Amino acid sequence: MHHYTIALVLTITGLMYSSVDYAAESNHKAKSHHPQKRLKINPVTDNEDAWIANTETNVYRIGTFQNIAVGYSARHDWDFSLSLINTQILGGNKQFQGDSFFNASKTFNVNNDLSIVAGTQNGLAMVISEPQLWYNFTYLDNRYDVTPWLLMHGGPYIANAALTGTSRQIGFITGTEITFIQNKLSLQMDYVSGHHSLSGATVNMLLNITSRFQMYMGVSVPERDSGNEFAGIVGFNLSTKPL
C-alpha cells in the first residue's frame, strides 16, 4: 500500500504540472499542421539484452504514414532506440518527409509492482528547413502493476515548440494495459494531454503470434484543437527475446 501511495502521488504531480502553460493566448489557438506524431514510451519487452524492431502504419484521411524503429533493451534497465516516424507513403506527398529520433530511458524498480521510467526522445526533421528543427520530449512515467492482468502508468512530460507545433508545453501522459490472455492477448490505451500535435489517445489490441512476434491494431483519437485527425493503426513488433 505504501508503494501504491507513492505511485499515486507521482501521477497526481504530473497532473498538476499539466496546468503550467508557457504559451501566449494566441498560441493556444494554433493548430498542428502535421498528423499526430507517434512518440511511444511503452517498452516492447521487459527482457534485458534484447533487440527489438517495430513497424507501424497510420492511416489518415489525408494519407498513410509509416513509422519504423529499432531498439536495444540493455542490461541494468537501460533502453535505447532509433526511429523514423511520420513518413508519408500514400497521399498527396510532394517531397520526402519524416522525423528521426534517438530515444533513451532508464527504469528504476522500486519493488516487484512499481517502477519509474525516466526517458528522453530527441530528433530532427528529415526535410531540410531553415532553421533546422530540433525535437525534444522528456518524460517521467510511473508504472504500477495493480494485478497480474492490469498495469497502469502516468507522469509528467515536457516537449519543445518544434515538436508540439505551438510552444513549449508541460503536460501528463497516462494509460493502462489490460491482459486478457497471458502472453497472448492484451489491450493497451494511452493518452497525452494538451492541445498540440502530440495530444490525443491511442487504443490498440495486441496479439502475440509467437512469443517473439506481435501484431496490433487500433485507432488514434485526436485531442480537441490539436489539428490532428482520427487514424487507423496497424503495427508489428519483433524481438530477440519473449515479448
Side-chain angles (χ1 to χ4, degrees), residues 37-222:
K37 291 181 172 60
R38 290 284 285 120
L39 296 186
K40 295 178 285 186
I41 65 169
N42 293 317
V44 173
T45 178
D46 292 328
N47 288 296
E48 295 186 345
D49 196 22
W51 286 94
I52 304 116
N54 167 263
T55 178
E56 179 182 289
T57 304
N58 301 148
V59 182
Y60 297 86
R61 179 175 55 85
I62 62 170
T64 300
F65 291 74
Q66 193 69 28
N67 305 316
I68 299 173
V70 176
Y72 179 65
S73 184
R75 297 182 180 182
H76 307 298
D77 299 310
W78 282 97
D79 292 277
F80 306 95
S81 68
L82 290 172
S83 58
L84 178 63
I85 66 171
N86 201 37
T87 303
Q88 189 170 359
I89 57 176
L90 292 174
N93 186 16
K94 303 301 182 182
Q95 61 178 345
F96 174 80
Q97 56 184 298
D99 304 315
S100 60
F101 279 84
F102 172 73
N103 316 310
S105 66
K106 167 67 174 176
T107 300
F108 301 91
N109 295 305
V110 179
N111 56 34
N112 290 334
D113 298 322
L114 175 65
S115 61
I116 302 173
V117 182
T120 183
Q121 305 190 7
N122 295 273
L124 291 170
M126 298 299 290
V127 177
I128 298 176
S129 61
E130 292 295 338
Q132 176 67 62
L133 295 178
W134 173 262
Y135 300 129
N136 174 261
F137 182 84
T138 301
Y139 63 92
L140 187 68
D141 192 34
N142 311 286
R143 307 180 66 84
Y144 184 71
D145 291 307
V146 182
T147 69
W149 55 268
L150 176 62
L151 179 146
M152 300 184 70
H153 72 91
Y157 76 82
I158 181 169
N160 69 350
L163 188 56
T164 65
T166 56
S167 62
R168 183 174 58 163
Q169 300 284 328
I170 291 179
F172 68 92
I173 51 178
T174 188
T176 185
E177 183 169 333
I178 303 171
T179 301
F180 299 112
I181 304 176
Q182 189 69 32
N183 300 321
K184 190 68 176 180
L185 183 67
S186 60
L187 178 67
Q188 195 174 80
M189 297 177 285
D190 295 289
Y191 174 73
V192 179
S193 73
H195 303 284
H196 49 76
S197 64
L198 296 177
S199 304
T202 56
V203 180
N204 288 309
M205 184 69 73
L206 294 79
L207 174 65
N208 286 20
I209 307 300
T210 70
S211 63
R212 302 183 182 186
F213 179 62
Q214 181 184 72
M215 74 166 294
Y216 58 94
M217 298 181 66
V219 62
S220 174
V221 182

Side-chain angles (χ1 to χ4, degrees), residues 15-22 168-171:
L15 294 173
M16 293 172 62
Y17 284 166
S18 68
S19 64
V20 181
D21 190 356
Y22 291 89
R168 183 174 58 163
Q169 300 284 328
I170 291 179

